[in-house]
């Protein structure tokens, strides 16, 4: 799916740099996932995303 994904991603994970206010679209294969409850009782999820250039950990928060 790499050819299809390349049409809508902003850049590969290896090329990511923190830019204030910039929104990026990345895509990759989820290679690990863990969920946990916060002190307030909401759920948080951590994903390891791999696009064959690098891996990144992504944090997902539930809607409160």
């Amino acid at each position: 799916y790499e050819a299809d994904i390349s049409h809508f991603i902003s850049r590969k994970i290896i090329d990511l740099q923190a830019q204030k206010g910039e929104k990026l679209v990345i895509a990759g294969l989820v290679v690990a996932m863990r969920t946990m409850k916060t002190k307030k009782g909401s759920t948080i999820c951590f994903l390891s995303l791999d696009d064959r250039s690098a891996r990144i950990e992504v944090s997902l928060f539930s809607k409160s």
Side-chain angles (χ1 to χ4, degrees):
Y1 300 104
E2 258 184 87
D4 295 328
I5 290 171
S6 67
H7 297 299
F8 66 84
I9 62 171
S10 302
R11 59 188 69 147
K12 292 192 171 271
I13 293 173
I14 199 164
D15 298 325
L16 292 178
Q17 293 180 356
Q19 299 289 329
K20 187 175 182 178
E22 183 181 15
K23 292 183 181 182
L24 300 172
V25 176
I26 60 172
L29 181 68
V30 176
V31 294
M33 180 181 85
R34 70 181 196 279
T35 60
M36 58 189 297
K37 292 283 187 183
T38 65
K39 291 180 183 179
K40 294 183 179 181
S42 60
T43 303
I44 186 170
C45 180
F46 300 99
L47 299 177
S48 290
L49 196 63
D50 188 325
D51 73 351
R52 293 180 46 178
S53 71
R55 285 188 182 182
I56 190 170
E57 187 167 282
V58 180
S59 304
L60 305 171
F61 301 91
S62 62
K63 191 173 184 179
S64 301

